[in-house]
């Protein structure tokens, strides 16, 4: 697996702009117009103010306030903005002047397998929640390409800080999918050792993991390691102060961190245009590091851009912001009803850009996979679904007294008293097990 370095890419890196000069949808980008508040704009405004002072007009009557109309999500195609795409929604391969990949047939088929199995796991988890086996579930449906593409761009020594939706990235980090279910079932506080796979525990607090990732990356730099750190967050989290603070620290300390924003258009029921007035990737400009927008439903583009960003971080060139422009096809979580704030037309327009369908179309068109391969993947998908269902229903409950452990290193009289009180409470039930025991099932 290689990333092609073009002359444009090298020039961008030498100038410290990374992928910011990327062309829109594969076409050469045009220079941005001058900001209304700067340069000639200020001069013109000053002249206008002088004319206004010389001849004042009566103040116009204030127009009555208009009622607030229902919000709309961002346009399905980000026209006019820099946009990296290597695989069109129709499954046609295109090239980009700054980012590209050259993959073997085996690697392409591997990406397809990753996305199919991740989607199947996610679908099973959603069904299990509906059956009462999980308390909650956050689906990644529609975001498989962003997660698999970026996840497969990383080395084993890179470190990942996820939110609570990065099931595909966890798959790429070799975290057992069934371990992701424990927290949502309420039987543990995470389910896996973060240091085993360099994949941090899921973070429910919105945006806080971006600060954690930046601090960790600063430590990596002080240790002299050449690994990179990736922080995942959503478009809604981009409004959090923690994210802005992380950008500041990462820029000032030149931390080897990649900020990967999955812009799925909706922060629960609020569209992106109520989070920001400019494309999210352009926020990096104000903090002094490059940003790039990539087609988040294109697994090849997400792989190429992320691979370039982490290589940039490893070589001491500092942070970078990637905005993966994608769409949340399902609900925000299983407690959400997206039909109350999204239209069927919007959903259908994004369904036509399905990341798995476009890669399959490319594999079929180029003869890189046959029907026997797709049938084998479907069979493997069925086996995964069965495994997940069996695993969740046999997952043991935690030790009921474990909450009192590891509070104080040498013990504490008050904790001992609380432990004894709780044990007496449990024993008051007729069918209570012995204190300290575990129960199967949930």
């Amino acid at each position: 697996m290689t990333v092609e370095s073009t002359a444009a890419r090298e020039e961008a890196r030498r100038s410290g702009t990374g992928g910011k000069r990327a062309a829109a949808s594969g076409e050469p980008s045009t220079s941005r117009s001058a900001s209304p508040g700067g340069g000639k704009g200020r001069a013109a405004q000053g002249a206008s103010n002088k004319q206004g002072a010389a001849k004042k007009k009566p103040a116009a009557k204030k127009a009555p306030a208009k009622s607030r109309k229902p919000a709309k999500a961002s346009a399905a195609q980000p026209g006019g903005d820099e946009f990296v795409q290597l695989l069109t929604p129709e499954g046609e391969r295109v090239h980009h002047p700054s980012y590209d990949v050259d993959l073997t047939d085996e690697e392409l088929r591997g990406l397809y397998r990753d996305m199919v199995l991740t989607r199947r796991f996610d679908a099973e988890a959603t069904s299990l929640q509906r059956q009462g086996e999980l308390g909650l579930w956050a689906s990644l449906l529609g975001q498989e390409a962003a997660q698999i593409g970026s996840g497969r761009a990383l080395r084993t020594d890179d470190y990942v800080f996820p939110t609570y939706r990065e099931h595909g990235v966890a798959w790429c980090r070799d975290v057992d999918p069934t371990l992701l279910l424990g927290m949502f079932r309420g039987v543990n506080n995470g389910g896996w050792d973060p240091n085993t796979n360099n994949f941090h525990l899921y973070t429910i607090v919105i945006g806080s993991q971006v600060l954690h990732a930046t601090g960790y990356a600063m430590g990596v730099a002080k240790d002299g390691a050449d690994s990179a750190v990736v922080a995942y967050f959503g478009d809604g989290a981009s409004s959090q102060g923690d994210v802005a603070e992380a950008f500041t620290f990462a820029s000032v300390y030149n931390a080897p961190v990649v900020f990967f924003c999955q812009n799925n258009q909706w922060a629960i029921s609020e569209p992106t245009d109520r989070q920001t007035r400019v494309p999210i990737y352009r926020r990096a400009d104000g903090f002094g590091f490059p940003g790039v927008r990539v087609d988040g439903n294109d697994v090849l583009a997400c792989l190429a851009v992320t691979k370039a960003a982490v290589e940039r971080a490893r070589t001491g060139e500092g942070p970078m912001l990637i905005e993966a422009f994608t769409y949340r096809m399902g609900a925000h979580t299983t407690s959400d009803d997206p039909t109350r704030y999204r239209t069927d037309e919007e959903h259908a327009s994004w369904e036509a850009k399905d990341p798995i369908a476009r890669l399959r179309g490319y594999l079929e068109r180029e003869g890189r996979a046959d029907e026997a391969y797709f049938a084998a993947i479907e069979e493997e998908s069925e086996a995964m679904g069965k495994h997940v269902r069996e695993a969740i229903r046999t997952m043991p409950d935690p030790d009921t007294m474990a909450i009192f452990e590891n509070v104080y290193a040498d013990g504490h009289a008050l904790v001992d008293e609380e432990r004894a009180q709780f044990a007496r409470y449990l024993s008051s039930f007729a069918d209570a097990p012995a204190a300290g025991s575990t129960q199967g099932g949930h």
Side-chain angles (χ1 to χ4, degrees):
M1 187 187 306
T2 60
V3 174
E4 298 175 5
S5 298
T6 63
R9 161 90 183 279
E10 291 303 315
E11 176 59 27
R13 291 184 61 178
R14 283 195 295 270
S15 64
T17 59
K20 287 177 61 181
R21 299 293 181 253
S25 302
E27 299 178 1
S29 61
T30 57
S31 59
R32 297 175 186 151
S33 59
S35 170
K40 294 181 179 179
R42 283 195 294 268
Q45 184 179 4
S48 176
N49 289 341
K50 291 180 180 179
Q51 293 175 1
K55 185 179 180 181
K56 293 185 178 180
K57 295 181 178 181
K61 292 184 178 180
K62 188 175 181 179
K66 295 181 179 180
S67 60
R68 189 181 183 186
K69 295 182 179 180
K72 295 181 180 179
S74 301
Q77 181 71 14
D81 291 320
E82 300 170 355
F83 191 58
V84 180
Q85 186 181 82
L86 302 180
L87 200 61
T88 69
E90 295 73 31
E92 296 179 359
R93 184 73 163 87
V94 294
H95 296 276
H96 192 275
S98 299
Y99 301 96
D100 218 331
V101 286
D102 181 17
L103 303 178
T104 65
D105 291 356
E106 183 179 0
E107 288 170 331
L108 288 167
R109 290 193 295 266
L111 293 174
Y112 178 84
R113 173 181 177 270
D114 288 338
M115 289 195 291
V116 169
L117 296 184
T118 296
R119 178 172 289 187
R120 180 52 184 268
F121 164 72
D122 181 68
E124 289 295 335
T126 300
S127 296
L128 287 167
Q129 193 283 328
R130 298 305 190 197
Q131 296 165 24
E133 299 290 347
L134 301 177
L136 187 73
W137 184 249
S139 174
L140 60 62
L141 183 61
Q143 299 177 220
E144 295 88 356
Q147 296 193 16
I148 297 300
S150 60
R152 288 302 181 197
L154 308 180
R155 295 190 326 212
T156 56
D157 61 328
D158 295 330
Y159 207 103
V160 174
F161 286 81
T163 63
Y164 46 80
R165 202 187 299 274
E166 274 66 63
H167 320 314
V169 184
W171 171 265
C172 294
R173 304 303 286 176
D174 294 327
V175 176
D176 183 344
T178 61
L179 296 180
L180 304 178
L181 303 175
M183 180 181 69
F184 294 96
R185 189 173 173 80
V187 300
N188 59 46
N189 294 317
W192 63 92
D193 180 357
N195 295 322
T196 300
N197 308 81
N198 281 6
F199 185 77
H200 200 265
L201 296 177
Y202 275 0
T203 303
I204 303 299
V205 178
I206 305 300
S208 63
Q209 77 281 359
V210 184
L211 264 179
H212 304 160
T214 300
Y216 191 94
M218 291 166 63
V220 167
K222 288 183 178 295
D223 289 342
D226 68 343
S227 56
V229 179
V230 182
Y232 288 87
F233 62 103
D235 47 295
S238 68
S239 296
Q240 294 292 325
D242 284 1
V243 175
E245 291 176 11
F247 286 0
T248 297
F249 271 88
S251 177
V252 171
Y253 288 93
N254 205 47
V257 58
V258 175
F259 300 111
F260 196 96
C261 177
Q262 293 178 83
N263 179 0
N264 63 19
Q265 311 304 311
W266 291 94
I268 308 183
S269 59
E270 289 295 297
T272 307
D273 61 11
R274 288 189 182 167
Q275 303 292 333
T276 177
R277 297 296 297 272
V278 299
I280 291 174
Y281 79 95
R282 286 178 54 188
R283 286 187 173 185
D285 292 346
F287 293 90
F289 55 86
V292 62
R293 173 179 275 187
V294 60
D295 184 344
N297 285 21
D298 177 357
V299 67
L300 303 186
C302 290
L303 173 65
V305 171
T306 307
K307 191 170 181 65
V310 293
E311 287 179 350
R312 182 181 182 279
R314 293 189 191 109
T315 55
E317 296 184 59
M320 184 170 175
L321 171 61
I322 299 173
E323 178 192 357
F325 199 84
T326 182
Y327 190 76
R328 167 168 55 80
M329 294 298 293
H332 176 72
T333 67
T334 47
S335 65
D336 172 43
D337 178 10
T339 63
R340 299 182 64 181
Y341 55 85
R342 298 195 312 201
T343 65
D344 292 340
E345 292 78 13
E346 177 187 303
H347 188 278
S349 69
W350 277 96
E351 197 169 33
K353 301 178 179 67
D354 183 85
I356 296 178
R358 74 168 70 181
L359 181 56
R360 175 165 181 160
Y362 174 67
L363 293 172
E364 291 177 330
R365 181 181 295 105
E366 299 296 320
R368 294 175 179 246
D370 56 19
E371 285 304 318
Y373 169 78
F374 294 119
I377 294 299
E378 183 61 28
E379 185 177 344
E380 186 177 5
S381 172
E382 289 296 324
M384 166 176 270
K386 181 179 180 181
H387 170 65
V388 171
R389 292 192 297 272
E390 291 176 349
I392 193 66
R393 288 166 180 155
T394 58
M395 190 175 289
D397 285 347
D399 180 350
T400 55
M401 307 302 291
I403 191 173
F404 299 100
E405 302 298 329
N406 306 312
V407 180
Y408 290 93
D410 300 320
H412 192 279
L414 179 58
V415 174
D416 293 340
E417 180 183 342
E418 292 172 339
R419 180 192 290 109
Q421 182 182 21
F422 188 58
R424 289 193 299 272
Y425 169 74
L426 291 177
S427 64
S428 67
F429 294 95
D431 57 348
S437 66
T438 58
Q439 293 179 307
H442 185 67

